[in-house]
Amino acid sequence: MNNIAEQLNLAYQNLTEKWQALPEAKIKPQLLAVSKTKPVSAVVAAYQAGQRQFAENYPQELAEKAAQLSSYADIIWHFIGPLQSNKTRLVAETAHWVHSIDRLKIAERLAAQRPAALGPLKVLLQVNISNEPSKAGIAAADMLQLAAGVSSLPQLQLKGLMAIPAPGMSEPAFAAMAQLSQTLQQHYPQADELSMGMSDDWPLALRYGATMIRLGTAIFGARDYHKE
Ligand SMILES: *Cc1c(COP(=O)(O)O)cnc(C)c1O
């Protein structure tokens, strides 16, 4: 078995063990394999080990990988990175999910550019839950306003929330996200997804009701940005 397959199996084992050990029953989260900066061959290795959900941060990289892997028709692509207006088309045409919606303008562009044949794009609102200056995401107080705008766009489906806590702040951030998710679901019952937890803090995210955890390093190893 190759290393990626081993790491992936280990991640699923850990997830199952920690999930079964939770003090109260929760939905078992989906595990997204974050393949940013990793070659197509790494995605294929994970695919052959059974992984189907992959997440990317850069529009160009997502579009290139999706094109190269178009014969793997059951891959589900999640876009989780910052999104500028001039890159929305790449994402609208390739992603199944976008986790990083934090402006209505970006949502409107995605909606306008979404090919009808692909069906609605599933989206999450990104919340700047640790209130970090100059970080992506809306303020918690603005959630319902953006949710109303997004849910008026028929080419998008509002599915829930996403957050990236500040370093060392995961627990209060996940607790706050769990509350916000409840508030959102009171208005939009179908928006019950909560994307939170990365290689370092996913067990904590699990305790606070994450439905999608995003693992890069734990599956593919450390990223080398110098090779880009
Ligand atoms: C890179 C990235 C991840 C994966 O991080 P790891 O620490 O490698 O697991 C998850 N979510 C987002 C938004 C990322 O940018």
Side-chain angles (χ1 to χ4, degrees):
M1 214 172 14
N2 69 41
N3 201 36
I4 289 174
E6 274 173 36
Q7 301 277 79
L8 190 63
N9 286 339
L10 199 60
Y12 274 99
Q13 264 174 37
N14 281 339
L15 174 59
T16 300
E17 278 168 22
K18 293 211 158 62
W19 175 70
Q20 285 171 342
L22 288 175
E24 44 185 311
K26 303 261 188 219
I27 290 173
K28 191 172 186 183
Q30 303 277 318
L31 191 165
L32 313 187
V34 181
S35 45
K36 66 181 177 207
T37 80
K38 299 294 176 181
V40 163
S41 59
V43 176
V44 170
Y47 182 94
Q48 284 169 346
Q51 182 66 22
R52 292 295 179 270
Q53 309 223 40
F54 292 88
E56 290 284 341
N57 280 61
Y58 310 103
Q60 193 70 41
E61 188 177 350
L62 167 66
E64 282 166 17
K65 281 180 178 157
Q68 288 182 56
L69 294 165
S70 59
S71 60
Y72 297 77
D74 55 350
I75 288 184
I76 298 175
W77 291 108
H78 297 253
F79 183 77
I80 61 174
L83 190 47
Q84 307 300 326
S85 297
N86 61 346
K87 296 288 168 60
T88 49
R89 183 177 296 279
L90 290 170
V91 173
E93 292 178 349
T94 49
H96 299 86
W97 291 74
V98 176
H99 294 220
S100 44
I101 301 293
D102 65 357
R103 278 181 291 159
L104 186 57
K105 183 184 169 207
I106 295 292
E108 286 169 344
R109 287 182 65 90
L110 287 170
Q113 294 167 341
R114 179 69 169 173
L118 296 183
L121 181 62
K122 298 179 169 74
V123 300
L124 308 179
L125 310 183
Q126 182 172 354
V127 182
N128 181 1
I129 195 65
S130 305
N131 294 311
E132 294 175 276
S134 75
K135 273 290 177 71
I138 49 167
D142 297 335
M143 175 183 72
L144 288 176
Q145 194 188 349
L146 182 57
V150 167
S151 59
S152 73
L153 300 167
Q155 301 88 346
L156 304 186
Q157 248 174 35
L158 177 64
K159 296 293 285 180
L161 301 176
M162 180 271 232
I164 309 171
M169 297 295 286
S170 294
E171 183 145 24
F174 293 156
M177 287 301 294
Q179 290 288 322
L180 268 185
S181 175
Q182 291 307 314
T183 303
L184 183 65
Q185 288 178 64
Q186 282 163 15
H187 297 79
Y188 307 93
Q190 80 292 350
D192 56 358
E193 300 283 350
L194 193 44
S195 167
M196 59 187 195
M198 312 188 358
S199 294
D200 284 342
D201 59 7
W202 68 265
L204 214 44
L206 190 65
R207 296 219 319 253
Y208 288 95
T211 65
M212 295 177 165
I213 58 178
R214 311 179 304 264
L215 302 188
T217 312
I219 294 169
F220 297 110
R223 287 177 290 275
D224 182 357
Y225 287 97
H226 301 286
K227 278 194 305 199
E228 276 183 275

